[in-house]
Amino acid sequence: MTSPIELKHIQGDIVPGFPKKAESFFFFEIENVDAFRRELNKLVPLIATGESVSSDKEAIRHQRQSSSSLLPVAFLNIAFSAKGLKKLGFDPAEAQDDGFTNGQFADAKELGDDLKPSSSDPDWIPEFQKAIDGVLLVAGDSKHSVHRHLRKALALLDGTVKEVLNLFGHVRPGKEDGHEHFGFEDGLSNPVVKDLGTDLSGQGPVNQGVILCGRDGDSISDRPSWALDGSFLAFRLLQQLVPEFDQFLAQNALQVGDPTVNGAELLGARLTGRWKSGAPLALTPLRDDPELAKDPKRNNKFEFNPDSQEACPFAAHVRKMNPRGDILLEEFINPHRVLRRGIQYGPEVSAEERAQNRTDMDRGLLFVSYQSSLRDGFQFLQKSWANPTTFPPGKTQEPGQDPLIGQIVDPDNQGARSMTGANPGDTGSTLDLGFQKWVVAKGGEYFFSPSIPVLRDVFSAGFTIQGEI
Ligand code: HEM
């Protein structure tokens, strides 16, 4: 019988998630396995747990009420790829997740990524095509705190790892803080894990096993003991072509006969399913409502009308990713919910980029999602919901691709994307989204984020627990 879950046993980026202004993803290769396992033992006390992050979040909340400056905080988590686990002496296949075992590069074509094998400019950067054994996630209130904390972690690991790639992300400046680079408020709809948080959204909590392996609701019943209370982490380096996206919106601006409605903004909202403020189109289809957007008790309290795309297109990003109302039973949606913990990277769009409608500087999203099954979580969302033109099913008009992240999966990655329902006045018409994607996958990897007891007692130097949970 497995004892109830304790927050101090899980890594804090999973639940409750790091509060952060900046984050480094330090991808590494393990150089000397025995020495690494010894040093890992010393690193474990530095790892932020669900319990420690929850109390830091509480302290930050109190401090915000009394002053505007941020508490200097920094958090560390660690996760391993299948290659890394193998090096540590474990069989990744025991976890029974093929995506994890084979790695993301092997999955890239099926995800619809453009690998351009013959081109000198492949979308996937070389670092993600090489061996990555693990990642240190270091988040904090500033670049300075993050760098200092990363140096501390690396000092403890004492030369046993080699850097493959260090990606640095940070929130956008000023009032864009919390908004992704296309300008939309992000991080609004994340599931609450049963008994590990308070659900204000009205969507209801998901079973612990949707996010944490070995818990109630996990689709695999015989995980190895090292998987208990761990979670799979899908990392994606997603470049965003912001000037190009904005140019498309301007060129295809909607006309709704109301001069106070900005047609380009309305189109952007219809591609996303929410206004830039975060207000859901399902509740406020023709104009933004920033007050509604800010209210956690109301901003997720909606369902899509399964028979209509008048308020929100079937293919809109948030509708594809959480088809509430389209799929009527929660039990068919909940296994596919994930905890998103990403952060933006890169500079703001410059005046030159705006003027020429072309991206010159790299920017986008360092996407992170946690789930107990990559097959049911990230892979499913991308392959079964975002990419297929027929999802959500059973509609009078074929929905089309998710305009933000949908990709065409064919050997040559040819063809233009399209969707219906973009125009609220003529939902039967098709909008040609063109050949250019505005979100370009530049790489990624699948990792496993183990529980604290497993990191300390199993993966560090010491003994190996055999058997199943
Ligand atoms: C650069 C790429 C992306 C952008 C710009 C983007 C943007 C957004 C925005 C603006 C929202 C609405 C706010 C919120 O609920 O947090 C959202 C929600 C969401 N996104 Fe993305 N996203 C991106 C990539 C992805 C990917 C790769 C996935 C998974 C395959 C994903 C899954 C989701 C999910 C599950 C939701 C919540 C839907 C709901 O529960 O209503 N997103 N995204």
Side-chain angles (χ1 to χ4, degrees), residues 155-419:
L156 286 169
L157 288 174
D158 197 18
T160 58
V161 298
K162 187 174 83 184
E163 174 178 333
V164 178
L165 175 68
N166 187 4
L167 291 175
F168 180 72
H170 52 86
V171 296
R172 295 183 55 208
K175 64 178 179 30
E176 293 302 332
D177 186 346
H179 295 237
E180 52 69 46
H181 273 289
F182 294 142
F184 297 88
E185 178 79 27
D186 204 358
L188 289 172
S189 175
N190 261 327
V192 166
V193 180
K194 201 170 179 180
D195 300 330
L196 298 183
T198 320
D199 181 35
L200 294 176
S201 76
Q203 295 186 88
V206 297
N207 284 330
Q208 294 180 342
V210 171
I211 305 297
L212 296 158
C213 295
R215 293 290 168 181
D216 186 29
D218 182 357
S219 57
I220 307 277
S221 57
D222 54 344
R223 301 271 191 193
S225 51
W226 54 258
L228 178 66
D229 292 346
S231 188
F232 290 100
L233 184 173
F235 179 87
R236 298 275 279 166
L237 172 58
L238 298 176
Q239 184 187 41
Q240 288 175 255
L241 306 181
V242 181
E244 291 84 344
F245 179 74
D246 285 346
Q247 184 185 30
F248 178 85
L249 298 185
Q251 285 174 345
N252 295 277
L254 294 166
Q255 318 283 337
V256 285
D258 176 348
T260 63
V261 174
N262 177 318
E265 252 172 50
L266 176 62
L267 179 60
R270 289 187 71 83
L271 302 190
T272 308
R274 288 184 185 262
W275 295 90
K276 284 191 171 171
S277 69
L281 248 74
L283 293 180
T284 176
L286 283 183
R287 60 187 65 251
D288 196 358
D289 182 349
E291 286 307 310
L292 163 65
K294 274 193 287 200
D295 184 349
K297 292 200 182 109
R298 291 195 293 145
N299 64 14
N300 273 301
K301 238 185 194 139
F302 63 89
E303 289 214 326
F304 301 106
N305 174 349
D307 301 321
S308 163
Q309 47 184 349
E310 213 167 295
C312 178
F314 299 136
H317 179 57
V318 306
R319 189 163 183 171
K320 283 261 194 184
M321 295 292 91
N322 187 355
R324 16 176 149 183
D326 288 316
I327 292 181
L328 290 175
L329 293 176
E330 252 175 31
E331 66 211 66
F332 292 124
I333 296 187
N334 280 354
H336 306 300
R337 298 205 65 201
V338 300
L339 283 174
R340 286 171 302 129
R341 304 290 190 217
I343 193 164
Q344 285 61 56
Y345 75 93
E348 293 296 294
V349 173
S350 69
E352 286 86 354
E353 289 179 293
R354 271 261 164 267
Q356 68 201 14
N357 296 314
R358 208 192 58 223
T359 296
D360 276 341
M361 289 178 289
D362 191 17
R363 66 177 63 76
L365 176 65
L366 304 176
F367 176 88
V368 170
S369 71
Y370 290 101
Q371 52 268 294
S372 65
S373 157
L374 292 162
R375 193 192 50 224
D376 291 340
F378 168 74
Q379 289 177 304
F380 192 89
L381 292 178
Q382 184 71 52
K383 295 181 193 179
S384 301
W385 285 359
N387 294 346
T389 54
T390 48
F391 187 84
K395 306 295 185 195
T396 42
Q397 290 116 8
E398 184 164 294
Q401 277 96 10
D402 177 329
L404 298 195
I405 63 160
Q407 312 202 91
I408 290 183
V409 184
D410 76 23
D412 306 318
N413 236 282
Q414 300 291 331
R417 302 179 311 141
S418 64
M419 67 183 282

Side-chain angles (χ1 to χ4, degrees), residues 28-40 87-88 133 157-162:
F28 62 83
E29 212 182 317
I30 300 170
E31 296 238 275
N32 173 337
V33 174
D34 290 338
F36 173 81
R37 291 187 71 187
R38 262 195 321 274
E39 307 307 339
L40 182 60
K87 268 197 186 167
L88 296 183
D133 292 330
L157 288 174
D158 197 18
T160 58
V161 298
K162 187 174 83 184

